[in-house]
Amino acid sequence: MKKFLACALALTLTSAMFASCGSSDDSSSSKAEAKTTTTTTAATTTEATTTTAAPESAADSTAASGTESEGEAAKDISEMPATLKNYEEASVYFKKDMDVASIVEPFAEKDYENDESHVNLSIEELAGIPMLKVETLDQDDQGNYKIPKIKFHMEKFFEGHEADLEKIFTIKADVVTKAVGEFTGDDGTKSLVPGNFMGAFVTQPTTGEGENSWNDLYDFGEAEWTSEWGSYELTMRPGIKDGATFVNSTEPQFVSLMRWGIPNQADFYIADLRFEDEDGNVIACANFGK
């Protein structure tokens, strides 16, 4: 019952927050509506008409450690590597010696005056696996952690073989959330859990006119209320939506990810990115493989 009340409180807090999303040069903006779910396992998509994962769906997700049940035992972080769905054959891996700022950056519409948070981006080894760590730094007037928004430079991943960009049909990411600060329920009970993981997964191809379109293909909603960490596979399919696919160009193009605000401090980690063609074959990024 305590977990249910805690989850309900966090859902109420996060559902009140909305994301404002800028173009690559932040000179103009598109608005991505913040959508959340009322369960911990269902994902909502803005392009598909069903909330179940299906080949025709624009997006789906798999929660490896993201459900709540009374009496469920907490899972040690050492179990995390086995939950990653794509780590054996991904397109992009993260390494300790890579130049993080050259491939991924935070973004904000008005110099962080709105709901965006400053973030610290680094490579950190979690349970033996180097991952991109996203640390949220800012809180709002109510003490909730604001919205971290990051964008990956696709033109850097595909430098020298830009023709492969237009082959991308599906994009997947293995993401891990990890609690840093305790969540406090309405009854005063504290627990070291990451809680809600809700947000959006977006493509931003170039328009060819110095700007990028905004394609919110996946509004996800998952949660972990038992363990210190949670593991999720995020999937979106830009290939089924006109204008959402990348083009053969050296101009900046992005895959963007954001997480709605939460009341407790929790970092999230990206273990890998996987790009697939229409037949499900992995598209390699030569300079970012294992």
Side-chain angles (χ1 to χ4, degrees), residues 87 145 234:
Y87 200 74
Y145 283 85
L234 306 183

Side-chain angles (χ1 to χ4, degrees), residues 165-207:
L165 280 162
E166 58 189 1
K167 300 177 184 177
I168 298 173
F169 189 89
T170 301
I171 301 174
K172 299 179 179 180
D174 284 313
V175 181
V176 175
T177 61
K178 188 174 183 295
V180 179
E182 291 182 323
F183 175 83
T184 303
D186 56 358
D187 61 353
T189 300
K190 294 185 177 183
S191 53
L192 189 64
V193 294
N196 287 324
F197 180 57
M198 299 179 176
F201 205 18
V202 178
T203 66
Q204 291 182 266
T206 179
T207 63

Side-chain angles (χ1 to χ4, degrees), residues 89-123:
E89 192 177 5
S91 304
V92 175
Y93 296 91
F94 299 97
K95 302 175 183 178
K96 289 185 175 181
D97 60 350
M98 68 174 19
D99 181 8
V100 175
S102 69
I103 59 171
V104 60
E105 61 181 292
F107 64 99
E109 195 171 25
K110 294 183 179 180
D111 196 26
Y112 300 95
E113 292 180 2
N114 292 333
D115 55 9
E116 299 95 348
S117 174
H118 289 84
V119 299
N120 183 37
L121 300 173
S122 62
I123 305 298

Side-chain angles (χ1 to χ4, degrees), residues 194-230:
N196 287 324
F197 180 57
M198 299 179 176
F201 205 18
V202 178
T203 66
Q204 291 182 266
T206 179
T207 63
E209 300 177 354
E211 296 181 348
N212 299 84
S213 64
W214 182 267
N215 305 281
D216 184 349
L217 298 178
Y218 181 21
D219 286 354
F220 54 85
E222 309 286 357
E224 173 54 69
W225 297 98
T226 302
S227 303
E228 181 184 355
W229 61 280

Side-chain angles (χ1 to χ4, degrees), residues 224-242:
E224 173 54 69
W225 297 98
T226 302
S227 303
E228 181 184 355
W229 61 280
S231 177
Y232 312 99
E233 179 191 45
L234 306 183
T235 302
M236 63 175 167
R237 297 185 177 89
I240 71 169
K241 181 180 182 294
D242 290 340

